[in-house]
Amino acid sequence: MRTLFALALVLLLASAASAATLNVEVNRQGFTGAIEVAVAPRVGGTPPEWSAAKTLPAGGGKSAVSFEGLPAGLYVVMASGPQPLQRLSAKVNLGSDGGTVRLVIPKKSNVEVRAMLAGQPLARAGIGFTHHELRWRTDVVTDREGRFAGPLWEEGTYTASVRRHPASGPYSTDVWLSSKPVTIAVPDRHVTGRVLAGGKPLAGAIVDLRSENNQATLTVRTPSSADGRFEFFGVREGALSLTARAPSYLDSDAIAFELRGATGQRSVDVELMRGETRAVRVVDTRGTAIGGATLIAACGGHMKSTSVTNEEGNADVAFPADRACTIYALPKEGSLAIVPVGERGKGASPLVIRVPEGASSLRLALKSEAGVPFAAMSLLMRIDGVVIPPAIARLLASRGFSLITNEEGGISLQRIPRGVYDFWPYRHSAEGQMLYETAMDFAAPISVEVLPGENEATVKFQAR
């Protein structure tokens, strides 16, 4: 008992020693309204999750607050007034001995933003402004003239997301907010439609619109409304791909089309269907169950459902009733298993997937004969005769299977199974889909036999 008490006391003292106090001082510079001060751990690239908040009351009196018992680390501090762009933020590295951050509210700074569509004001439009570096967000609504005007506490770069109404997918662009007026010109290109199930409108489905051009790939997302309708406005010019998903339904096949020119509109209806489930068990080469493995069901190159195995390695996977499909099994620890499932293979008996050992790695570099790297090049991949569809490859990227070359023209695949890996380079999604549909008819320009351990290969192409 004494030993346990002593251990608990040591832990308590260690915890107390690591806790620090963050002092926040706000120079009001004449502002007399109430100010809320909030603190959040700083995680790069993600919106802050405010874990503590205190209020400086109106009247211009108290201008400092303290947050005690914080672990040492990186934080974001925000001072907020009652108006949407009365926001002032800072990042702080809090040491074990505490720290102080000082915020200065500007004396007079106002901003005017106007949203326009096809030369006409966007009245009552919602605009979300996301701070470019610290990722916090605030929202405004335009008036009848498409304008918002108000005080601005923090100049800088923001991502502006404009919605005509809550059920419309946003148009996003970067803006610099300052005392100079800003006009956001939304492109006059639109995609509308309905999500249906059994011919009836389906509310709450998630609709994704993926656009691709020479600069970047962008995915915009919006829910379907009560009558199943959705809208994307301000759509980027170029190749587009639309998908929808909802709980208890299979994901839709991607619908590909293009919008070109200064104006354009496309109406698309998406039908979601329920699938049949199949019991699946995932094990390693020794027959040990693999829990937490992600299972992706794809049919005809389109993702239809995802699931995760439980601690016993079991999961139910949903398929369309009348199509041959493929299951991709991805354990958290690495490796990959690809199992085709025919129409007759979707019975009641459990399907056992044995994941090969991920004891290999591959570094592949693509360069010109002069040694210039081919950066931002996508690769269609085939493993032991099975081609990975581009839509599935995008999902695998988050699991360490990125098939887009870096600035040095390379890709790095870690913890993969041994086998013969074939690759076809391409630039755009339409080209990748065409290669996928014809890959079995042609030899790959790049073929590497991956053995256990580290594997490296450099491929040089002639300039065209």
Side-chain angles (χ1 to χ4, degrees):
M1 249 349 228
R2 293 177 180 175
T3 303
L4 290 175
F5 175 77
L7 178 59
L9 181 60
V10 170
L11 291 175
L12 180 61
L13 291 174
S15 176
S18 65
T21 298
L22 174 62
N23 301 305
V24 181
E25 299 177 0
V26 181
N27 186 340
R28 289 176 172 268
Q29 297 219 103
F31 178 76
T32 59
I35 301 174
E36 182 182 86
V37 181
V39 176
R42 186 183 177 211
V43 181
T46 62
E49 295 184 6
W50 307 109
S51 57
K54 296 186 178 182
T55 300
L56 297 173
K62 184 179 180 182
S63 298
V65 294
S66 296
F67 297 90
E68 301 175 349
L70 296 178
L74 300 176
Y75 289 89
V76 178
V77 178
M78 166 84 78
S80 304
Q83 300 299 314
L85 285 168
Q86 287 179 325
R87 303 288 187 270
L88 191 59
S89 61
K91 54 186 178 181
V92 58
N93 186 355
L94 183 65
S96 58
D97 55 348
T100 300
V101 61
R102 296 173 176 86
L103 302 174
V104 181
I105 297 174
K107 288 185 177 180
K108 288 186 179 180
S109 182
N110 291 283
V111 67
E112 181 180 313
V113 179
R114 191 176 190 191
M116 306 288 290
L117 173 65
Q120 299 298 316
L122 272 170
R124 309 300 182 191
I127 307 177
F129 292 103
T130 302
H131 191 275
H132 204 264
E133 180 183 8
L134 300 183
R135 309 310 299 165
W136 55 262
R137 173 177 171 134
T138 187
D139 295 278
V140 306
V141 177
T142 63
D143 61 16
R144 294 179 180 178
E145 301 300 321
R147 287 188 176 90
F148 170 82
L152 173 71
W153 283 1
E154 187 167 345
E155 292 189 356
T157 302
Y158 294 78
T159 298
S161 298
V162 185
R163 291 181 184 267
R164 179 151 52 184
H165 52 77
S168 67
Y171 166 73
S172 297
T173 186
D174 287 345
V175 297
W176 176 268
L177 294 186
S178 66
S179 58
K180 296 181 179 180
V182 175
T183 297
I184 301 174
V186 179
D188 190 18
R189 289 184 292 272
H190 313 263
V191 176
T192 60
R194 297 177 302 165
V195 180
L196 306 172
K200 297 181 180 180
L202 182 64
I206 302 300
V207 186
D208 288 347
L209 183 68
R210 183 175 182 270
S211 60
E212 181 178 1
N213 59 25
N214 292 330
Q215 286 74 43
T217 297
L218 174 69
T219 299
V220 182
R221 180 170 298 147
T222 192
S224 61
S225 61
D227 59 359
R229 297 188 181 276
F230 60 86
E231 176 193 39
F232 296 93
F233 84 124
V235 174
R236 293 200 310 177
E237 183 178 22
L240 302 167
S241 176
L242 186 141
T243 56
R245 66 184 187 276
S248 303
Y249 292 89
L250 298 171
D251 293 6
S252 73
D253 287 353
I255 302 172
F257 54 95
E258 293 187 357
L259 282 182
R260 301 289 181 184
T263 63
Q265 185 166 348
R266 180 68 179 261
S267 180
V268 180
D269 285 352
V270 184
E271 182 79 28
L272 294 185
M273 298 181 296
R274 299 186 187 274
E276 295 182 351
T277 58
R278 174 75 184 272
V280 174
R281 178 173 170 79
V282 180
V283 299
D284 61 19
T285 55
R286 298 178 297 276
T288 303
I290 301 178
T294 299
L295 302 179
I296 301 172
C299 310
H302 301 280
M303 189 188 80
K304 305 307 295 181
S305 70
T306 60
S307 54
V308 178
T309 60
N310 60 21
E311 295 181 357
E312 289 74 37
N314 299 319
D316 290 330
V317 180
F319 298 93
D322 55 353
R323 296 169 65 180
C325 301
T326 302
I327 297 179
Y328 300 83
L330 294 99
K332 292 185 296 184
E333 297 76 14
S335 195
L336 168 69
I338 306 172
V339 180
V341 182
E343 294 180 37
R344 296 183 179 180
K346 300 172 185 174
S349 60
L351 172 66
V352 178
I353 297 178
R354 293 187 179 275
V355 180
E357 186 177 2
S360 305
S361 65
L362 172 62
R363 296 182 182 275
L364 177 66
L366 276 61
K367 298 183 179 181
S368 68
E369 289 186 324
V372 178
F374 288 111
M377 180 75 74
S378 297
L379 296 173
L380 181 72
M381 182 171 69
R382 181 170 65 191
I383 305 176
D384 290 337
V386 180
V387 184
I388 310 295
I392 304 304
R394 290 192 291 269
L395 296 174
L396 299 184
S398 63
R399 306 301 296 268
F401 288 86
S402 178
L403 296 175
I404 300 177
T405 59
N406 57 23
E407 294 180 354
E408 287 75 38
I411 64 169
S412 178
L413 304 179
Q414 303 294 320
R415 295 182 296 179
I416 58 176
R418 64 178 300 175
V420 177
Y421 287 69
D422 300 325
F423 301 93
W424 289 261
Y426 66 92
R427 285 290 186 188
H428 305 292
S429 60
E431 182 184 1
Q433 186 63 28
M434 181 184 67
L435 285 171
Y436 167 71
E437 293 171 357
T438 59
M440 297 306 296
D441 300 328
F442 299 97
I446 305 170
S447 185
V448 181
E449 183 180 3
V450 173
L451 302 174
E454 297 182 357
N455 298 262
E456 295 187 7
T458 298
V459 180
K460 293 188 176 182
F461 293 92
Q462 293 182 348
R464 292 190 294 180

